[in-house]
Amino acid sequence: MTIRRRWRAARCGRRDRGPSGLSLLPWLLMGLGALSHLIEGKAANPWLGGLGLLAFNTLYIAIVFRAFDPPRREAPLTLVLLVALGALTFALAIGYGSGWLLLFPLLGLAVGAVVRGGRRLRFIVFPLVAAVGVVTYWRDGWDSLGVVYGTFISVMVTAAILALDETVRELRGTREELARTAVEKERLRFSRDLHDLLGHTLSVIVVKSEVVRRLAPRDLDAALAQVADIESVGRQALTEIREAVTGYREGSLATELDRARDALSSAGIEPVVRRSGPLLEPQTEALLSWVVRESATNAVRHSGAAHCEITLSATADRVRLTVTDDGRGAASTGTPGSGLRGLRERVAAAGGTLDSGPAPRGGFRVTAELPVEAPGPDEGEPTT
């Protein structure tokens, strides 16, 4: 992988992680005006104001972290916390005014992070800004218009940026899924084409062979001519097959995972398959397919397990495959089989590592780690 491609892959990896609740925490510095008001002794009932400011910060932190977890963001508790934050913000602003009015833009950030867009945002933002305008004008006159504008901007910009980020990540995931689907369709098309090619060629060979059998007793020259035709057809078929399989030797990792799932289920082993990360290079998929096949075969034949978990996770630079069962596996013999030894050599040749042995909680584990752009695996299948 070139330096430029590594840089682009690392940048894409950072983008995939997206923003988090930490990105909204520095804005809590806007509450320093309220804190200064308390410290200077200008606020009535300072203990009550301090508790209110502490409660505000606690609610704000809880809300912004829940806002970046979709299931928790949609939970009723998040809405309850947001309403409580709004009520507390208005109470503190009405009671103290001055620097406490800057809590309204923070409330806007929390609202934008939770609501994010759509019709619901329109129903919330305009009544909220109107109420903020009334309170700030009552407490600070026309000088507080900046707070009203800041509240409106904080809601709309936060909602727009986070909604756009969420949409982009969903589109990226959809694009990767479409790419996987396109690859599977292409493999299916190729298998059908290869079947049609071999079916036609073998049919011609069978017919000509029958002709040779009939001609041989009475017309040897004609039979030899048919034999020459068979040789020509066979050579042409080899050429066409070589051309057809160019670039298609690599197996489909998704197909191999499905086969492993079916094999484990048929053997009475409950399979759990997890896959995450970007698309892999065909050579890397092919090598990992062999690891999946060998590990699943060993689990079926030797483990006596009840559960088997296959986990595949990829980053911008490395991909990790772990196959863990809860049986006895090869741990009973203490030595890995020839299939695992052969796989370890092939993985090492591709710049990766393969470890196998007892799992920490019992059972057997096989772990393969490869660079994302691994060299093509050697031809031939590993023995089991």
Side-chain angles (χ1 to χ4, degrees):
M1 185 185 292
T2 65
I3 295 177
R4 176 180 291 182
R5 294 189 66 182
R6 286 181 180 274
W7 176 77
R8 290 177 61 186
R11 189 175 65 174
C12 290
R14 289 194 297 268
R15 283 202 306 263
D16 289 340
R17 287 194 292 269
S20 66
L22 292 174
S23 59
L24 294 181
L25 291 187
W27 294 101
L28 282 172
L29 293 174
M30 296 179 66
L32 288 178
L35 181 62
S36 175
H37 196 236
L38 285 175
I39 294 175
E40 293 174 358
K42 297 180 181 180
N45 299 318
W47 288 106
L48 182 61
L51 290 175
L53 188 60
L54 177 62
F56 177 89
N57 291 336
T58 303
L59 287 172
Y60 177 85
I61 293 172
I63 290 170
V64 296
F65 275 101
R66 294 178 68 89
F68 289 91
D69 183 2
R72 297 172 67 192
R73 183 174 69 238
E74 301 298 330
L77 177 59
T78 303
L79 182 60
V80 172
L81 294 176
L82 189 61
V83 171
L85 180 66
L88 180 61
T89 305
F90 275 94
L92 292 174
I94 292 172
Y96 293 99
S98 186
W100 298 76
L101 299 178
L102 292 177
L103 298 180
F104 280 127
L106 287 173
L107 174 62
L109 289 174
V111 171
V114 172
V115 181
R116 299 208 174 183
R119 185 179 303 175
R120 189 171 57 170
L121 179 63
R122 292 196 299 270
F123 286 142
I124 293 176
V125 65
F126 293 111
L128 173 64
V129 172
V132 170
V134 171
V135 172
T136 54
Y137 177 76
W138 175 57
R139 292 294 307 185
D140 208 18
W142 292 107
D143 294 336
S144 62
L145 285 179
V147 174
V148 180
Y149 179 72
T151 304
F152 176 76
I153 290 298
S154 64
V155 175
M156 300 304 294
V157 172
T158 303
I161 291 177
L162 295 182
L164 180 61
D165 176 78
E166 192 173 51
T167 301
V168 168
R169 285 188 284 121
E170 288 177 356
L171 288 175
R172 187 178 294 120
T174 302
R175 184 180 62 184
E176 292 180 355
E177 185 62 31
L178 288 175
R180 289 193 180 100
T181 303
V183 170
E184 293 302 318
K185 288 183 178 179
E186 179 62 16
R187 293 187 189 277
L188 181 60
R189 182 202 63 79
F190 169 74
S191 65
R192 288 197 299 262
D193 292 348
L194 188 61
H195 175 270
D196 294 341
L197 173 63
L198 290 178
H200 171 73
T201 302
L202 293 177
S203 297
V204 173
I205 292 175
V206 169
V207 171
K208 287 187 173 292
S209 299
E210 292 175 350
V211 173
V212 170
R213 179 171 53 82
R214 290 196 301 267
L215 291 177
R218 61 178 185 272
D219 191 345
L220 184 57
D221 292 337
L224 290 176
Q226 293 295 327
V227 170
D229 289 343
I230 292 174
E231 181 182 359
S232 176
V233 170
R235 290 183 183 278
Q236 181 63 29
L238 285 174
T239 301
E240 293 176 351
I241 291 173
R242 288 192 184 102
E243 293 175 352
V245 301
T246 300
Y248 286 92
R249 288 187 186 274
E250 299 84 5
S252 167
L253 181 57
T255 302
E256 199 60 52
L257 289 172
D258 290 338
R259 290 174 180 170
R261 186 187 290 110
D262 293 339
L264 292 168
S265 298
S266 300
I269 302 174
E270 181 182 354
V272 177
V273 179
R274 298 186 177 92
R275 181 174 183 176
S276 61
L279 289 172
L280 303 176
E281 293 291 333
Q283 297 88 345
T284 305
E285 281 208 1
L287 191 50
L288 291 176
S289 296
W290 285 118
V291 178
V292 170
R293 179 181 298 184
E294 177 69 20
S295 302
T297 301
N298 286 341
V300 169
R301 291 183 177 179
H302 310 302
S303 71
H307 302 84
C308 182
E309 181 174 325
I310 303 174
T311 304
L312 177 68
S313 58
T315 63
D317 296 321
R318 306 287 291 181
V319 56
R320 181 184 179 91
L321 172 69
T322 304
V323 182
T324 308
D325 64 61
D326 59 358
R328 57 184 183 276
S332 60
T333 63
T335 57
S338 59
L340 288 176
R341 286 197 299 270
L343 279 175
R344 185 175 290 110
E345 295 172 358
R346 298 177 70 188
V347 171
T353 59
L354 187 143
D355 298 317
S356 60
R361 298 182 179 179
F364 195 71
R365 172 181 292 174
V366 177
T367 303
E369 188 169 344
L370 284 165
V372 169
E373 290 191 356
D378 297 333
E379 298 298 329
E381 300 184 3
T383 56
T384 302

